[in-house]
Structure formats: structure tokens, C-alpha cells
Amino acid sequence: MTPQEKTQLEERIVDVLKTVYDPEIPVNIFDLGMIYKIDVQDDGSVEMDMTFTSPACPAADFILEDVRTKVESVEGIKAANVNLVFEPEWDKSMMTEEARIELGMD
């Protein structure tokens, strides 16, 4: 897989991640800054690191499954491994400007 093909897949992955929401927050998980790493492998698999705004997120299982399912639906992706991490700890500075505006934080 060429670097350009990996970049195109990463862009499509970001597009689908922007359709995943925490049911309690009206902003997608990508703009919230919950995705720490997207690493597309040559074999079409993806290694991802993500976090939650709170370690006690009641929708954690639902969100993780939604992420995995949607990433695996991207053409060219064979499998997605989504690692839940809490380092670094999530904070409001990780959100995009659009997310902060949407949530009234700017």
C-alpha cells in the first residue's frame, strides 16, 4: 500500500468517525479529540487508540463497537483494532475549535 493510499484511507476513516457520537454529547468523537491514533497497516488493518471524556462513560461499549464497525465498513479496511487508552488523559483542549463553539466553550 502506497503512502498516498494510506492517507486516503485515513481520510475516509476520519469521515466515518465524524458520524460517531457519545449519546450524551452533541459533538462527534473525532472533533471531541477522543481519537489519539489512526495507523493504517499495509495489509488493510487499522490500529487505533481512543479515549473517553470520562473513564466511567456509561456508553463506552456501545461507542467502541460503533467505532470498530464503522471503520471496518470503509472500503479497503479489513479489520480494526480499537485500543481504549487513558494516557494522556482527555481534556477540553483536545477538542476542535468547532466542537468548543458547538458546546458553548468559546
Side-chain angles (χ1 to χ4, degrees):
M1 185 177 301
T2 68
Q4 181 181 8
E5 290 170 326
K6 284 185 180 183
T7 299
Q8 289 172 342
L9 280 174
E10 287 171 7
E11 289 170 356
R12 292 201 305 263
I13 289 168
V14 168
D15 288 343
V16 300
L17 290 173
K18 288 185 175 187
T19 70
V20 178
Y21 288 80
D22 179 322
E24 298 177 341
I25 305 172
V27 175
N28 70 72
I29 64 167
F30 190 83
D31 288 338
L32 283 172
M34 293 168 50
I35 303 298
Y36 289 170
K37 176 183 91 171
I38 301 171
D39 187 14
V40 177
Q41 307 293 310
D42 286 332
D43 66 357
S45 64
V46 178
E47 285 290 325
M48 294 179 56
D49 288 350
M50 73 169 289
T51 195
F52 291 108
T53 57
S54 165
C57 177
D61 291 340
F62 168 78
I63 295 170
L64 283 170
E65 183 61 20
D66 200 23
V67 167
R68 188 189 63 74
T69 302
K70 287 184 175 178
V71 170
E72 287 181 348
S73 75
V74 172
E75 185 177 342
I77 298 300
K78 296 190 179 11
N81 184 37
V82 184
N83 303 301
L84 182 59
V85 298
F86 292 102
E87 292 291 327
E89 186 176 333
W90 181 90
D91 67 51
K92 293 184 275 185
S93 70
M94 297 171 171
M95 294 189 297
T96 63
E97 182 178 347
E98 294 83 6
R100 286 191 302 274
I101 291 169
E102 177 74 25
L103 295 174
M105 296 180 170
D106 262 359

